[in-house]
Amino acid sequence: MTSDDIRTHLKREITPELYQRIRSEWTAHSIAEDARDIAGLLSTLTEDCVYEVVQDGATWHGHEGAARFYTELLTAFPDIHFDLTNIVIGPQGVWEEAHVTGTHRGEWLGHPATGQAVEFDVLIYFPWDEQRGKFRGERVYYFGLR
């Protein structure tokens, strides 16, 4: 992103209606994730969304890619649970911090399955597409996978 893009993002104004729209879409996304509802997750995303796990350089593109991302994640950790610890909602999107627990049943991002309970922390940015009223994907940072 260029400096001009950043300035444009910083100039975005938040209204109570926009805040509620972004919050509502994030809530729908979270409920769908908890329900393992891939179609529900995709309904909150733009068609050209991008999922990125930043430190691994892994990316998935479009609805097909997002579905693969979630299928891989939910297969690797079928009992995954996100405990939200912080959230910021603004006109640029949503930033969340969560503590994750689950059982590592399948390979994920080159981490072989251990069959053991795991826990780690994630920071996730959901960039907001103001024209389409949906998220443009997720940028995921994870820490302390053990």
Side-chain angles (χ1 to χ4, degrees):
M1 193 172 275
T2 68
S3 295
D4 289 339
D5 293 336
I6 294 298
R7 286 186 193 101
T8 300
H9 278 251
L10 287 171
K11 290 178 183 176
R12 287 186 183 174
E13 294 292 326
I14 190 75
T15 64
E17 296 79 20
L18 179 58
Y19 173 87
Q20 188 54 44
R21 174 73 176 119
I22 296 169
R23 183 175 186 252
S24 177
E25 202 69 11
W26 178 85
T27 300
H29 184 92
S30 296
I31 289 169
E33 186 170 337
D34 285 346
R36 310 310 192 242
D37 174 10
I38 302 293
L41 285 162
L42 297 178
S43 74
T44 67
L45 303 170
T46 62
E47 290 284 334
D48 60 347
C49 64
V50 176
Y51 271 68
E52 178 181 11
V53 178
V54 176
Q55 66 265 41
D56 290 307
T59 58
W60 298 260
H61 297 269
H63 277 191
E64 182 181 317
R68 264 194 341 272
F69 169 83
Y70 277 106
T71 299
E72 291 168 13
L73 178 67
L74 297 173
T75 300
F77 306 100
D79 59 346
I80 197 166
H81 179 74
F82 292 82
D83 283 316
L84 187 64
T85 55
N86 282 298
I87 187 168
V88 177
I89 301 172
Q92 297 84 4
V94 175
W95 184 265
E96 77 172 46
E97 180 180 6
H99 185 72
V100 180
T101 55
T103 308
H104 197 177
R105 302 266 183 222
E107 183 175 320
W108 187 65
L109 299 173
H111 298 281
T114 64
Q116 301 295 311
V118 296
E119 60 181 281
F120 55 99
D121 295 304
V122 294
L123 300 173
I124 305 171
Y125 173 55
F126 298 80
W128 183 250
D129 186 301
E130 59 187 335
Q131 278 75 42
R132 294 181 278 183
K134 296 193 178 293
F135 296 110
R136 293 190 324 262
E138 295 183 27
R139 289 179 54 97
V140 179
Y141 305 80
Y142 68 93
F143 308 92
L145 180 60
R146 53 187 183 274

